[in-house]
Amino acid sequence: MHRLMLASFGTTLLWFAMPASAQDAAAGQRVYNQCRACHTINEGGRNGVGPNLHGIVGQKAAQREGFRYSPNMRELAEGGLAWTEENLRDWLTRPQAFLPDNAMNFGGFRNRTEDRDSVIAFLRASPAATGGDAERPAGGAP
């Protein structure tokens, strides 16, 4: 009985220690729905209130053509900010703490580590990130 409990606890600890790429991208798509009001993710998609997020993981910040970034974001980008998983986690936790006076009107996923990691997994693995159409409902016609 104790071995089973220890094994279960160990598996749980390993899951929390996994990088976002190993997290649940399907859960991330559900969480990403909160982002859709301002962001698109399809390749070549339009910028909205926020920039298009296609292929954002690993990319240099403030690079979306035609999007008007805040001066603070442009300054960080010029200093070499890239959207690594770590930086995305920090940003998604509390954008205003990551970059004071940014224009994003989102309080963050402060106490929801799973949501942050799942959104990052979705951004990395979504069909849109590889050229598909993530904004099409699952099972929908192309």
Side-chain angles (χ1 to χ4, degrees), residues 16-37:
F16 281 110
M18 288 181 188
S21 60
Q23 298 294 326
D24 186 358
Q29 183 173 12
R30 289 188 297 276
V31 177
Y32 174 79
N33 284 332
Q34 298 174 50
C35 310
R36 287 176 59 144

mmCIF file of all heavy atoms in Angstrom, residues 16-37:
data_model
loop_
_atom_site.group_PDB
_atom_site.id
_atom_site.type_symbol
_atom_site.label_atom_id
_atom_site.label_comp_id
_atom_site.label_asym_id
_atom_site.label_seq_id
_atom_site.Cartn_x
_atom_site.Cartn_y
_atom_site.Cartn_z
ATOM 1 N N PHE A 16 4.664 17.576 -12.328
ATOM 2 C CA PHE A 16 4.812 19.005 -12.072
ATOM 3 C C PHE A 16 6.189 19.507 -12.481
ATOM 4 O O PHE A 16 6.352 20.682 -12.760
ATOM 5 C CB PHE A 16 4.555 19.331 -10.594
ATOM 6 C CG PHE A 16 3.090 19.383 -10.263
ATOM 7 C CD1 PHE A 16 2.511 18.402 -9.481
ATOM 8 C CD2 PHE A 16 2.303 20.403 -10.745
ATOM 9 C CE1 PHE A 16 1.165 18.452 -9.184
ATOM 10 C CE2 PHE A 16 0.954 20.467 -10.459
ATOM 11 C CZ PHE A 16 0.382 19.479 -9.673
ATOM 12 N N ALA A 17 7.170 18.661 -12.524
ATOM 13 C CA ALA A 17 8.523 19.074 -12.885
ATOM 14 C C ALA A 17 8.747 19.066 -14.398
ATOM 15 O O ALA A 17 9.746 19.567 -14.876
ATOM 16 C CB ALA A 17 9.538 18.150 -12.218
ATOM 17 N N MET A 18 7.805 18.528 -15.175
ATOM 18 C CA MET A 18 7.969 18.441 -16.623
ATOM 19 C C MET A 18 7.917 19.827 -17.255
ATOM 20 O O MET A 18 7.195 20.696 -16.794
ATOM 21 C CB MET A 18 6.839 17.602 -17.233
ATOM 22 C CG MET A 18 6.928 16.154 -16.958
ATOM 23 S SD MET A 18 5.530 15.360 -17.785
ATOM 24 C CE MET A 18 5.692 13.723 -17.146
ATOM 25 N N PRO A 19 8.652 20.020 -18.334
ATOM 26 C CA PRO A 19 8.547 21.288 -19.055
ATOM 27 C C PRO A 19 7.184 21.392 -19.733
ATOM 28 O O PRO A 19 6.474 20.404 -19.882
ATOM 29 C CB PRO A 19 9.668 21.192 -20.085
ATOM 30 C CG PRO A 19 9.901 19.738 -20.257
ATOM 31 C CD PRO A 19 9.595 19.103 -18.920
ATOM 32 N N ALA A 20 6.854 22.589 -20.171
ATOM 33 C CA ALA A 20 5.553 22.809 -20.790
ATOM 34 C C ALA A 20 5.341 21.898 -21.993
ATOM 35 O O ALA A 20 4.217 21.509 -22.266
ATOM 36 C CB ALA A 20 5.405 24.261 -21.200
ATOM 37 N N SER A 21 6.399 21.560 -22.710
ATOM 38 C CA SER A 21 6.238 20.718 -23.896
ATOM 39 C C SER A 21 5.649 19.359 -23.549
ATOM 40 O O SER A 21 5.060 18.714 -24.402
ATOM 41 C CB SER A 21 7.574 20.550 -24.608
ATOM 42 O OG SER A 21 8.517 19.946 -23.759
ATOM 43 N N ALA A 22 5.787 18.925 -22.300
ATOM 44 C CA ALA A 22 5.245 17.638 -21.889
ATOM 45 C C ALA A 22 3.886 17.792 -21.222
ATOM 46 O O ALA A 22 3.271 16.813 -20.829
ATOM 47 C CB ALA A 22 6.216 16.943 -20.940
ATOM 48 N N GLN A 23 3.425 18.999 -21.059
ATOM 49 C CA GLN A 23 2.139 19.230 -20.425
ATOM 50 C C GLN A 23 1.016 18.971 -21.418
ATOM 51 O O GLN A 23 1.225 18.630 -22.567
ATOM 52 C CB GLN A 23 2.068 20.656 -19.874
ATOM 53 C CG GLN A 23 3.085 20.960 -18.802
ATOM 54 C CD GLN A 23 2.868 20.172 -17.530
ATOM 55 O OE1 GLN A 23 1.736 19.890 -17.161
ATOM 56 N NE2 GLN A 23 3.930 19.798 -16.869
ATOM 57 N N ASP A 24 -0.190 19.215 -20.988
ATOM 58 C CA ASP A 24 -1.376 18.876 -21.751
ATOM 59 C C ASP A 24 -1.785 20.009 -22.696
ATOM 60 O O ASP A 24 -2.409 20.979 -22.276
ATOM 61 C CB ASP A 24 -2.492 18.546 -20.761
ATOM 62 C CG ASP A 24 -3.739 18.027 -21.431
ATOM 63 O OD1 ASP A 24 -3.776 17.954 -22.673
ATOM 64 O OD2 ASP A 24 -4.679 17.692 -20.704
ATOM 65 N N ALA A 25 -1.448 19.873 -23.971
ATOM 66 C CA ALA A 25 -1.784 20.903 -24.953
ATOM 67 C C ALA A 25 -3.294 21.025 -25.141
ATOM 68 O O ALA A 25 -3.796 22.107 -25.431
ATOM 69 C CB ALA A 25 -1.099 20.604 -26.285
ATOM 70 N N ALA A 26 -4.032 19.936 -24.973
ATOM 71 C CA ALA A 26 -5.500 20.009 -25.101
ATOM 72 C C ALA A 26 -6.081 20.900 -24.009
ATOM 73 O O ALA A 26 -6.962 21.724 -24.269
ATOM 74 C CB ALA A 26 -6.105 18.614 -25.043
ATOM 75 N N ALA A 27 -5.574 20.754 -22.802
ATOM 76 C CA ALA A 27 -6.013 21.638 -21.714
ATOM 77 C C ALA A 27 -5.596 23.064 -22.032
ATOM 78 O O ALA A 27 -6.325 24.020 -21.751
ATOM 79 C CB ALA A 27 -5.415 21.193 -20.385
ATOM 80 N N GLY A 28 -4.432 23.232 -22.640
ATOM 81 C CA GLY A 28 -3.949 24.548 -23.022
ATOM 82 C C GLY A 28 -4.847 25.225 -24.040
ATOM 83 O O GLY A 28 -5.038 26.438 -23.991
ATOM 84 N N GLN A 29 -5.431 24.440 -24.949
ATOM 85 C CA GLN A 29 -6.344 25.029 -25.927
ATOM 86 C C GLN A 29 -7.569 25.583 -25.213
ATOM 87 O O GLN A 29 -8.047 26.665 -25.547
ATOM 88 C CB GLN A 29 -6.755 24.016 -26.981
ATOM 89 C CG GLN A 29 -7.651 24.637 -28.041
ATOM 90 C CD GLN A 29 -7.936 23.713 -29.189
ATOM 91 O OE1 GLN A 29 -7.666 22.523 -29.135
ATOM 92 N NE2 GLN A 29 -8.489 24.263 -30.248
ATOM 93 N N ARG A 30 -8.067 24.861 -24.215
ATOM 94 C CA ARG A 30 -9.218 25.354 -23.451
ATOM 95 C C ARG A 30 -8.864 26.654 -22.726
ATOM 96 O O ARG A 30 -9.638 27.601 -22.720
ATOM 97 C CB ARG A 30 -9.706 24.298 -22.466
ATOM 98 C CG ARG A 30 -10.385 23.113 -23.136
ATOM 99 C CD ARG A 30 -11.025 22.177 -22.133
ATOM 100 N NE ARG A 30 -10.072 21.562 -21.222
ATOM 101 C CZ ARG A 30 -9.367 20.467 -21.479
ATOM 102 N NH1 ARG A 30 -9.508 19.866 -22.643
ATOM 103 N NH2 ARG A 30 -8.537 19.982 -20.591
ATOM 104 N N VAL A 31 -7.685 26.705 -22.136
ATOM 105 C CA VAL A 31 -7.260 27.902 -21.424
ATOM 106 C C VAL A 31 -7.006 29.035 -22.422
ATOM 107 O O VAL A 31 -7.367 30.189 -22.174
ATOM 108 C CB VAL A 31 -5.998 27.631 -20.570
ATOM 109 C CG1 VAL A 31 -5.511 28.901 -19.898
ATOM 110 C CG2 VAL A 31 -6.287 26.560 -19.516
ATOM 111 N N TYR A 32 -6.426 28.707 -23.574
ATOM 112 C CA TYR A 32 -6.144 29.707 -24.604
ATOM 113 C C TYR A 32 -7.416 30.414 -25.070
ATOM 114 O O TYR A 32 -7.354 31.564 -25.525
ATOM 115 C CB TYR A 32 -5.422 29.068 -25.800
ATOM 116 C CG TYR A 32 -5.239 30.033 -26.948
ATOM 117 C CD1 TYR A 32 -4.221 30.977 -26.927
ATOM 118 C CD2 TYR A 32 -6.110 30.023 -28.036
ATOM 119 C CE1 TYR A 32 -4.065 31.884 -27.966
ATOM 120 C CE2 TYR A 32 -5.961 30.923 -29.076
ATOM 121 C CZ TYR A 32 -4.944 31.849 -29.030
ATOM 122 O OH TYR A 32 -4.798 32.748 -30.057
ATOM 123 N N ASN A 33 -8.549 29.775 -24.933
ATOM 124 C CA ASN A 33 -9.799 30.415 -25.347
ATOM 125 C C ASN A 33 -9.988 31.768 -24.665
ATOM 126 O O ASN A 33 -10.633 32.650 -25.218
ATOM 127 C CB ASN A 33 -10.996 29.496 -25.101
ATOM 128 C CG ASN A 33 -11.069 28.403 -26.149
ATOM 129 O OD1 ASN A 33 -10.623 28.574 -27.281
ATOM 130 N ND2 ASN A 33 -11.616 27.263 -25.765
ATOM 131 N N GLN A 34 -9.403 31.947 -23.484
ATOM 132 C CA GLN A 34 -9.455 33.242 -22.806
ATOM 133 C C GLN A 34 -8.630 34.282 -23.558
ATOM 134 O O GLN A 34 -8.876 35.483 -23.443
ATOM 135 C CB GLN A 34 -8.920 33.124 -21.381
ATOM 136 C CG GLN A 34 -9.716 32.202 -20.495
ATOM 137 C CD GLN A 34 -9.038 32.021 -19.161
ATOM 138 O OE1 GLN A 34 -8.672 32.992 -18.512
ATOM 139 N NE2 GLN A 34 -8.865 30.778 -18.746
ATOM 140 N N CYS A 35 -7.653 33.851 -24.304
ATOM 141 C CA CYS A 35 -6.732 34.735 -25.021
ATOM 142 C C CYS A 35 -7.280 35.145 -26.384
ATOM 143 O O CYS A 35 -6.841 36.155 -26.952
ATOM 144 C CB CYS A 35 -5.386 34.040 -25.218
ATOM 145 S SG CYS A 35 -4.697 33.305 -23.726
ATOM 146 N N ARG A 36 -8.213 34.364 -26.900
ATOM 147 C CA ARG A 36 -8.699 34.550 -28.275
ATOM 148 C C ARG A 36 -9.389 35.882 -28.512
ATOM 149 O O ARG A 36 -9.481 36.334 -29.646
ATOM 150 C CB ARG A 36 -9.653 33.422 -28.646
ATOM 151 C CG ARG A 36 -8.937 32.125 -28.880
ATOM 152 C CD ARG A 36 -9.908 31.022 -29.138
ATOM 153 N NE ARG A 36 -10.721 31.357 -30.292
ATOM 154 C CZ ARG A 36 -11.152 30.486 -31.173
ATOM 155 N NH1 ARG A 36 -10.853 29.225 -31.027
ATOM 156 N NH2 ARG A 36 -11.889 30.854 -32.181
ATOM 157 N N ALA A 37 -9.874 36.510 -27.451
ATOM 158 C CA ALA A 37 -10.529 37.807 -27.637
ATOM 159 C C ALA A 37 -9.542 38.842 -28.183
ATOM 160 O O ALA A 37 -9.939 39.764 -28.889
ATOM 161 C CB ALA A 37 -11.124 38.283 -26.315
#
